């Protein structure tokens, strides 16, 4: 009740704010731009709160509080007032409309669903226009299937068919908690989360991979012992570091040509391959 009263009071104040003539608006904008006159900026913003309230009403279909929409629109209005350039000879309402709409759209996208969506400009256009386009196509003379309707919407908005289908599914249903119990509210029936399949390896697979990895590392250490000091240095620099050195860099460091470095590296890899094949022939393929 208090929220409703506050919203009505805010709307009443906004509707009573005087309109600004073009010359007066320009003078206030100049005072803000040139003299940092905060009162002038606030007067411009207050005189355009009607615009904020009018635009907020258009976003009420998303089920968010009118007061919150107006507050977000007011933030966009203040941003527009701070950035407005009176020298462009355009009315402030024309300029502010874009900032108000953008602020409200961001608020809707942040709060309409717990799942974040509509991050790109194309996705935002799809989110805010899908229902309108679908309703318009449904009222036409043609009897379109859902597939055909989605294809026309995708072509109209320049997005993929998959994006339209995914967004339509999201807009058609509500968020569902993974903690919600299944089976008529019976807590012993389990929650949705209990029935989600994990993509992680099974415990026995994890143990097997761990054992195989440790065994492979031991074999590699033994195989590295077959290399000479220079071969070891080249293999470590080229193969066993995150940022492998180039042939030219190693050639400069060792005082030899890069072609000679390549030959030594090839010979060292052949030694490693032979040593590892003796331990586990399956590992040979991994070195190619």
């Amino acid at each position: 009740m208090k929220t409703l009263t506050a919203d009505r009071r805010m709307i009443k104040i906004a509707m009573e704010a005087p309109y600004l003539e073009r010359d007066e608006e320009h003078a206030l904008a100049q005072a803000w731009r040139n003299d940092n006159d905060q009162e002038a900026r606030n007067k411009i913003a207050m005189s355009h709160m009607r615009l904020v309230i009018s635009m907020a009403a258009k976003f009420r279909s998303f089920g968010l509080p009118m007061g919150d929409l107006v507050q977000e629109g007011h933030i966009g209005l203040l941003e527009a007032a701070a950035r407005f350039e009176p020298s462009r000879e355009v009315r402030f309402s024309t300029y502010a409309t874009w900032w108000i709409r953008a602020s409200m759209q961001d608020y809707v996208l942040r709060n309409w669903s717990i799942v974040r969506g509509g991050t790109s400009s194309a996705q935002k256009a799809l989110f805010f226009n899908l229902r309108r386009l679908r309703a318009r196509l449904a009222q036409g003379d043609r009897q379109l299937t859902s597939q055909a309707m989605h294809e026309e919407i995708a072509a109209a908005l320049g997005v993929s068919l998959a994006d339209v289908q995914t967004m339509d599914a999201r807009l058609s249903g509500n968020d569902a908690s993974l903690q919600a119990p299944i089976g008529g509210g019976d807590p012993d029936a389990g929650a949705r989360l209990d029935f989600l399949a994990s993509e992680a390896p099974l415990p026995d697979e994890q143990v097997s991979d761990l054992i195989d990895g440790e065994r492979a590392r031991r074999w590699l250490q033994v195989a590295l012992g077959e290399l000479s000091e220079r071969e070891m240095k080249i293999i470590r620099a080229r193969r066993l570091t995150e940022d492998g050195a180039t042939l030219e860099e190693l050639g400069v460091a060792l005082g030899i040509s890069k072609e000679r470095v390549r030959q030594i590296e090839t010979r060292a890899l052949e030694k490693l391959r032979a040593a590892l094949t003796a331990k586990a022939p399956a590992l040979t393929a991994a070195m190619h």
Side-chain angles (χ1 to χ4, degrees):
M1 188 66 181
K2 289 183 178 180
T3 302
L4 182 60
T5 302
D7 290 347
R8 289 176 176 173
R9 187 184 303 114
M10 178 174 53
I11 293 173
K12 184 175 183 295
I13 294 173
M15 299 306 291
E16 291 176 351
Y19 286 100
L20 295 178
E21 297 295 336
R22 189 183 189 96
D23 292 342
E24 185 181 6
E25 177 183 290
H26 188 271
L28 290 170
Q30 289 281 18
W32 158 247
R33 175 60 56 186
N34 299 331
D35 304 325
N36 197 27
D37 188 337
Q38 298 287 337
E39 185 177 350
R41 187 199 69 169
N42 293 338
K43 189 172 183 179
I44 293 176
M46 181 54 66
S47 67
H48 288 83
M49 279 301 293
R50 295 181 185 85
L51 178 61
V52 172
I53 294 170
S54 174
M55 295 184 66
K58 298 177 181 179
F59 287 92
R60 294 189 67 178
S61 61
F62 292 97
L64 298 172
M66 180 70 172
D68 291 351
L69 288 168
V70 171
Q71 289 180 11
E72 292 295 324
H74 185 243
I75 293 173
L77 180 63
L78 292 177
E79 187 69 23
R83 295 172 177 268
F84 184 57
E85 293 284 352
S87 59
R88 294 182 177 179
E89 298 298 330
V90 63
R91 291 304 298 264
F92 177 74
S93 59
T94 303
Y95 179 76
T97 296
W98 297 97
W99 286 95
I100 296 169
R101 181 185 295 114
S103 184
M104 290 184 183
Q105 286 181 344
D106 286 344
Y107 171 74
V108 171
L109 289 171
R110 290 196 311 269
N111 295 276
W112 179 80
S113 170
I114 59 175
V115 180
R116 188 74 167 94
T119 54
S120 67
S121 58
Q123 285 288 313
K124 288 181 180 179
L126 176 58
F127 180 87
F128 288 106
N129 291 287
L130 176 58
R131 289 174 174 172
R132 176 179 58 81
L133 291 175
R134 187 174 57 186
R136 189 178 68 185
L137 291 171
Q139 293 174 356
D141 297 333
R142 297 177 298 164
Q143 296 295 322
L144 297 176
T145 63
S146 295
Q147 178 75 9
M149 191 176 295
H150 288 161
E151 290 174 353
E152 293 208 15
I153 294 174
L157 297 178
V159 297
S160 68
L161 176 61
D163 285 344
V164 176
Q165 293 171 334
T166 300
M167 186 66 72
D168 195 17
R170 287 192 58 199
L171 292 175
S172 300
N174 297 322
D175 293 332
S177 172
L178 293 177
Q179 303 293 342
I182 296 176
D186 182 4
D188 297 329
R192 290 185 175 90
L193 185 62
D194 300 329
F195 295 89
L196 291 180
S198 173
E199 297 181 357
L202 296 175
D204 58 336
E205 294 176 342
Q206 295 179 21
V207 173
S208 177
D209 291 343
L210 179 62
I211 294 173
D212 290 344
E214 291 178 351
R215 183 183 297 118
R217 281 191 292 272
R218 289 198 304 270
W219 289 347
L220 179 59
Q221 288 298 324
V222 172
L224 288 172
E226 300 291 328
L227 305 182
S228 67
E229 182 178 351
R230 187 161 63 170
E231 290 171 341
M232 175 71 78
K233 185 172 183 178
I234 291 174
I235 290 297
R236 286 192 182 280
R238 292 275 293 160
R239 304 285 177 164
L240 302 180
T241 59
E242 185 174 349
D243 298 322
T246 65
L247 295 173
E248 187 173 0
E249 290 171 344
L250 284 172
V252 173
L254 296 173
I256 57 179
S257 69
K258 64 179 182 181
E259 175 60 23
R260 181 55 181 155
V261 174
R262 186 192 65 77
Q263 293 173 356
I264 296 173
E265 179 187 25
T266 300
R267 184 178 63 195
L269 290 175
E270 288 294 338
K271 286 184 178 180
L272 289 176
R273 190 174 294 112
L276 290 173
T277 300
K279 290 287 185 181
L283 287 176
T284 305
M287 299 198 59
H288 287 284

